[in-house]
Amino acid sequence: MNKKILGLHHVTAMSSDAQKNVDFYAGILGLRMVKKTINFDAPEVYHLYYGDREGSPGTLMTFFPYPGMVRGRKGTGQMTVTSFSIAEGSMGYWTERLARFGIDHAAPRQRFGSEEFIYFEDDDGLGLELVATGGDKREGFNYGHIPEKHTIKGFYGITLNQQRHERTAEFLTGKMDHQLLEEENGRMRFSPSQGAGTLVDVLAMNGGEMGRGGSGTVHHVAFATADDGTQLVVREKLANAGVHVTPVVDRQYFRSIYFREPGGVLFEVATNPPGMAIDEDIERLGEELKLPPWQENNREIIESNLQTISFDRKKFADSTFTSFSR
């Protein structure tokens, strides 16, 4: 009770081509592009957000697409897998859909008893999973090119690879309101509240090669907190424990603090409000390039430097399902 960390907020990763990124996440996976903006710290680069209809915390997969960026290397000290939640009975649909679009994927497997999942990667090699669960009641977004019953609902969880996993485990339980839920074959599962969208798996990797940043790797993972007040409580707790945590940074759609957990992964704690609809109507989320107020005077220059991107949903419709109801 009275926990200040609620679960996952967003995951931000690096990619090498903005159009391929749109095609994969909006086209093949069917996530809604809920915000097309820029990297506030590098305005020559897009910041693309994908999620559910409203861009809710716990569904937001975001990217910095640096054109031609060299591919990174998965390894220890990194977040290596982002898992999305799908309904029970949808695994067969997704294995067929991934194959239809030429996406290599492993055969469905199980862990923690009956948890069924498939692993695959995007064009840059970013590690992804789809996990079938009957306990996730969230409604997935649908552009109309994927049957509604099979749409992705949001995050299921994340996986961190760590050489000294016990340090990250202590950090999550001691400073981040998480508790250990279960453990199996070197995989420890944590959550502040249980359920899809809150799960953090820490994978013990003794002697594993260190990860290296680049396209196909995660830049940071953000955890959700209710508001500015709870964020300050989290910040004070971290600072008092000797964690080097940044001041609050305004990201327009949320406010953030950043710090590294003991294994080296960059963590963020982001406020749930004000949300993705602060600067455009929910029905039109992601359609226009949105800039922060301090960059509006530079719009012409910024737009001229950004790659033109578009989304053709018909290109990604299943041949057996072509209902464009939205």
Side-chain angles (χ1 to χ4, degrees):
M1 296 296 291
N2 201 30
K3 292 180 177 178
K4 303 300 186 285
I5 301 294
L6 305 176
L8 299 171
H9 187 284
H10 67 268
V11 171
T12 296
M14 316 291 281
S15 67
S16 61
D17 187 286
Q19 184 59 58
K20 287 183 178 179
N21 193 256
V22 173
D23 289 347
F24 192 91
Y25 287 92
I28 295 174
L29 297 189
L31 302 176
R32 185 182 191 186
M33 179 183 280
V34 294
K35 193 65 61 181
K36 181 167 57 176
T37 184
I38 55 172
N39 182 340
F40 289 2
D41 299 321
E44 71 278 11
V45 178
Y46 277 120
H47 193 176
L48 304 178
Y49 290 68
Y50 306 91
D52 67 359
R53 178 179 177 274
E54 299 180 356
S56 305
T59 72
L60 292 167
M61 188 77 200
T62 92
F63 288 90
F64 299 138
Y66 285 85
M69 188 181 208
V70 174
R71 182 170 290 200
R73 179 181 65 210
K74 298 185 189 69
T76 58
Q78 280 188 334
M79 181 187 145
T80 54
V81 179
T82 304
S83 301
F84 293 98
S85 178
I86 58 175
E88 286 182 320
S90 292
M91 196 60 75
Y93 169 82
W94 278 101
T95 56
E96 291 181 10
R97 181 170 175 81
L98 292 174
R100 184 174 303 130
F101 288 98
I103 308 300
D104 290 335
H105 57 277
R109 290 183 289 165
Q110 291 187 337
R111 63 190 168 207
F112 294 125
S114 59
E115 181 178 288
E116 186 179 25
F117 69 98
I118 52 173
Y119 176 86
F120 58 103
E121 298 177 347
D122 71 6
D123 293 295
D124 289 295
L126 188 71
L128 303 168
E129 288 178 347
L130 294 176
V131 182
T133 173
D136 190 346
K137 304 305 180 187
R138 294 175 296 179
E139 183 178 349
F141 174 75
N142 186 17
Y143 276 112
H145 66 300
I146 293 174
E148 289 198 17
K149 64 181 179 180
H150 297 311
T151 54
I152 290 174
K153 298 174 178 292
F155 291 135
Y156 184 77
I158 61 170
T159 299
L160 310 175
N161 287 22
Q162 301 289 9
Q163 283 194 6
R164 295 177 60 185
H165 63 282
E166 68 279 358
R167 298 183 307 169
T168 297
E170 189 281 331
F171 190 83
L172 288 168
T173 56
K175 301 176 180 62
M176 295 284 290
D177 291 343
H178 285 57
Q179 59 183 329
L180 178 64
L181 299 182
E182 48 193 338
E183 185 173 2
E184 175 185 87
N185 300 324
R187 178 182 293 268
M188 305 173 73
R189 173 160 292 178
F190 300 86
S191 169
S193 57
Q194 301 190 23
T198 72
L199 305 174
V200 178
D201 286 4
V202 178
L203 201 57
M205 303 292 292
N206 295 324
E209 191 174 34
M210 289 293 292
R212 183 183 63 224
S215 72
T217 63
V218 170
H219 185 271
H220 64 264
V221 55
F223 295 84
T225 194
D227 52 38
D228 295 333
T230 56
Q231 184 183 60
L232 290 177
V233 172
V234 173
R235 188 181 185 282
E236 183 177 11
K237 182 177 181 179
L238 291 168
N240 288 340
V243 178
H244 180 68
V245 55
T246 70
V248 175
V249 180
D250 184 3
R251 296 306 189 191
Q252 191 159 3
Y253 310 109
F254 41 83
R255 284 169 285 279
S256 303
I257 56 175
Y258 300 89
F259 50 95
R260 290 196 183 274
E261 56 85 29
V265 178
L266 183 59
F267 278 7
E268 172 182 349
V269 173
T271 57
N272 282 347
M276 295 295 110
I278 189 175
D279 59 355
E280 57 188 335
D281 187 85
I282 282 183
E283 297 302 323
R284 302 197 61 186
L285 287 179
E287 294 183 6
E288 299 179 354
L289 178 68
K290 307 305 291 187
L291 299 179
W294 60 90
Q295 288 289 3
E296 277 296 345
N297 289 339
N298 301 318
R299 175 174 285 275
E300 185 175 350
I301 295 174
I302 289 172
E303 287 185 333
S304 67
N305 288 329
L306 291 173
Q307 177 185 356
T308 300
I309 55 176
S310 63
F311 172 47
D312 180 2
R313 60 178 177 172
K314 292 183 179 179
K315 181 179 175 183
F316 298 98
D318 292 332
S319 59
T320 56
F321 182 81
T322 56
S323 173
F324 295 101
S325 57
R326 298 185 185 181

